[in-house]
Amino acid sequence: MTGRLVRNTMASATAGLSVMLGGFLSTVLVARMLGVEAAGIVAFATWVVTVSIVVADLGTPGTLSRYLPELLARGDQAEAAGVTRHLFRWPGIIVSLLFLGFGAYAIVIAASGGTAESGSSHIRTDSLFWILVGLACVFQTAANYVNGYLRGSQGFGRMARLAVLSAVLQVVATALGGWLFGANGALAGAIAVGFLPSLLLPGILSRRGSLSPELRRRVDRFTFETWLGYVGTAFAWSRMEIFFLERSWGTESVALFSVSLTLANLATQGPLLLTGGLLPYLSEQSGVNAGEKIRDAYAIGTRLIAFLVLPACFGAAAIAPVLVPAIYGGAFAGAVPSAVLLVAGAGFSAASSVGVTYLLAMERTRFVFLTGGVSAILVLLVGFTVVPTFGLLGAAVARVSIQTAVVLARVWYIHRSLKTPTPYSSLARILLAATACALAAWSCTRLLDGVAALAVAIPVGALVYGVAVRIVHALPRSDYERLNKALVVLPSAIRVPAVTILRLLCP
């Protein structure tokens, strides 16, 4: 992998880490300041915004990340600008219609005499809630498009700076809004997080260019098929269970499920951020027909992401009974069983994330659409049957089962249709080491109580994982060398201990 890929990956990781921490701190603030019920209201709003964005952006940020690197690598600036302007038309129209729809619903509520109440009644009777949700959709859709453009044009440094500032703005807006105006005020954070990137959109769209009919067909087909896959996948990955939980069990159940998913995201997003520069790199290589490099990148990326994400997820699941109350408070202890399941299961889906990037780079969007569609059908069936009967735990079990099935189908397809083997042997050794990490951390929580258990369990789990990795030879030496080179871009205060750890891990 090139030095530019490493730099882009680190910048993308910085951007993603900022977004993740901003969202995480915002949920903690809401939970601590406003309680379980208000946290459920904000979580429901976040889910509505997330699903609305999936519908509105039509998968165009992913298309920009796929095609701009290929065009710019050929020096075709005019067609790159043409693709950028062409892709924005429908997202702009759809998000405008969504905002008008939320506004119309708010007017209907106001005309019927609706007032702000608590819990689920708040969601159905407060017109201001839906106006704020609509504004969040507009700003976040625009921000997603800008971020897709920056990824595709290799502007990762600029994207990282914007993400850091946006995360700070989100936390401040959530805290001030929640303190002054309660659950509705906390939604200011969902609006603020998309504000700064949105300011770049007019300048990006002002650049004129050309677009050949052949490229237009490729771009439109990729966008449409990818979007259909994203829509289906959104049901399985984007908290669709929240809708059914709110209808059957109320906003408190929504809050507990959201906390469980937030912990799962916290455990997985750090390693996943390292894949941010991978799609532009693979797309660029596909444009110059570098097939062997693409296959190598898939195998290397899969091993390294699993190396980082599996111990993080298994370890977090092991300490979840102590971690959840410590972060969110004792009122959220009911989220522990679902958190254990969701965090552990997220490790497998996150470890396969490189496979999705590989499929998109190879333009195998129809398979993404197929698996997304099947996932959507399964989630709907579960939502109408399992969730109303078994509630929070049923939703967690079903989610993990569906996502695991998708992962297995993805690995099978890549191996059979793309003739690209998955590094099964390394993954099995990493899984064994991650299991040892989880057992060690869990043992500490059984021997100690409270925060002291966390203070001991985390370093003990990490130490056991390191020893197990060295004993079972989890990674080939070449992967350690790649990690060592990647660490060059880090500050010395972080790089020196990280390099030392790598030397200890490598047999």
Side-chain angles (χ1 to χ4, degrees):
M1 295 191 185
T2 66
R4 179 161 57 86
L5 173 61
V6 172
R7 290 192 298 272
N8 288 346
T9 296
M10 297 308 297
S12 178
T14 300
L17 182 62
S18 301
V19 172
M20 179 189 70
L21 288 179
F24 171 69
L25 291 176
S26 296
T27 61
V28 173
L29 283 171
V30 172
R32 288 289 187 176
M33 292 170 56
L34 305 176
V36 178
E37 194 170 86
I41 292 171
V42 175
F44 184 83
T46 302
W47 171 76
V48 173
V49 172
T50 301
V51 173
S52 298
I53 291 172
V54 171
V55 174
D57 69 17
L58 294 174
T60 51
T63 306
L64 291 170
S65 298
R66 167 62 183 85
Y67 285 97
L68 289 186
E70 179 181 327
L71 295 171
L72 294 175
R74 298 202 307 250
D76 202 337
Q77 303 283 344
E79 286 214 309
V83 166
T84 302
R85 288 171 61 89
H86 169 71
L87 285 174
F88 184 72
R89 292 181 302 170
W90 281 109
I93 293 172
I94 293 174
V95 77
S96 298
L97 292 175
L98 281 172
F99 179 72
L100 291 175
F102 287 128
Y105 184 54
I107 292 172
V108 171
I109 291 174
S112 63
T115 56
E117 299 180 28
S118 63
S120 297
S121 297
H122 176 99
I123 293 170
R124 299 186 183 95
T125 60
D126 187 5
S127 57
L128 179 59
F129 172 86
W130 292 103
I131 292 174
L132 293 171
V133 167
L135 286 172
C137 289
V138 171
F139 281 103
Q140 290 194 32
T141 299
N144 279 1
Y145 195 85
V146 170
N147 287 332
Y149 173 82
L150 292 176
R151 284 192 184 93
S153 59
Q154 309 294 322
F156 287 92
R158 193 178 189 185
M159 183 181 71
R161 291 190 293 272
L162 279 172
V164 171
L165 293 174
S166 297
V168 173
L169 191 60
Q170 179 186 15
V171 172
V172 172
T174 300
L176 288 177
W179 179 50
L180 294 173
F181 304 107
N184 277 353
L187 294 181
I191 299 171
V193 72
F195 177 73
L196 293 179
S198 300
L199 297 179
L200 301 183
L201 187 59
I204 291 172
L205 297 178
S206 66
R207 298 166 185 161
R208 298 190 176 276
S210 59
L211 188 61
S212 66
E214 179 184 356
L215 180 59
R216 183 193 297 267
R217 286 192 295 270
R218 283 182 62 199
V219 166
D220 287 345
R221 182 183 63 80
F222 182 91
T223 302
F224 181 67
E225 292 180 356
T226 303
W227 174 68
L228 289 177
Y230 283 163
V231 169
T233 303
F235 283 87
W237 265 259
S238 297
R239 310 187 179 204
M240 186 63 196
E241 298 90 348
I242 283 177
F243 172 78
F244 296 104
L245 284 171
E246 192 276 330
R247 304 295 296 183
S248 302
W249 295 84
T251 53
E252 289 194 12
S253 183
V254 168
L256 297 179
F257 189 78
S258 179
V259 163
S260 303
L261 285 178
T262 299
L263 188 60
N265 290 336
L266 189 66
T268 60
Q269 286 305 305
L272 286 181
L273 298 176
L274 299 176
T275 66
L278 193 58
L279 178 57
Y281 172 80
L282 294 177
S283 300
E284 186 178 78
Q285 294 301 319
S286 70
V288 295
N289 296 319
E292 194 60 35
K293 286 186 177 181
I294 297 175
R295 286 187 286 273
D296 285 345
Y298 166 72
I300 295 165
T302 299
R303 283 197 303 267
L304 294 182
I305 293 300
F307 176 75
L308 296 171
V309 78
L310 286 180
C313 287
F314 283 25
I319 62 175
V322 180
L323 186 62
V324 171
I327 295 176
Y328 293 98
F332 287 84
V336 168
S338 59
V340 171
L341 285 170
L342 291 173
V343 174
F348 296 104
S349 58
S352 71
S353 60
V354 177
V356 178
T357 305
Y358 183 53
L359 290 170
L360 293 178
M362 301 304 291
E363 298 191 20
R364 297 303 178 102
T365 50
R366 291 180 182 176
F367 181 77
V368 176
F369 161 64
L370 177 62
T371 54
V374 173
S375 299
I377 294 171
L378 292 176
V379 169
L380 287 174
L381 290 174
V382 166
F384 286 115
T385 57
V386 176
V387 174
T389 304
F390 297 100
L392 184 62
L393 197 58
V397 171
R399 182 182 181 89
V400 171
S401 301
I402 293 171
Q403 291 186 353
T404 301
V406 171
V407 168
L408 294 175
R410 190 181 297 155
V411 170
W412 172 82
Y413 181 84
I414 290 173
H415 183 91
R416 177 163 180 169
S417 297
L418 298 181
K419 309 302 180 185
T420 304
T422 299
Y424 300 109
S425 178
S426 292
L427 293 179
R429 291 194 291 269
I430 293 170
L431 180 62
L432 180 62
T435 302
C437 164
L439 289 174
W442 176 79
S443 299
C444 292
T445 64
R446 302 295 294 177
L447 296 174
L448 300 171
D449 296 323
V451 178
L454 296 178
V456 175
I458 293 173
V460 167
L463 178 62
V464 170
Y465 180 66
V467 173
V469 161
R470 184 178 176 91
I471 292 175
V472 302
H473 300 269
L475 293 178
R477 179 175 292 274
S478 58
D479 283 358
Y480 290 108
E481 294 172 355
R482 291 185 180 93
L483 285 172
N484 199 20
K485 291 179 181 178
L487 294 174
V488 173
V489 301
L490 294 177
S492 58
I494 302 175
R495 183 180 69 252
V496 173
V499 170
T500 303
I501 292 172
L502 280 180
R503 287 174 180 171
L504 294 174
L505 293 178
C506 182

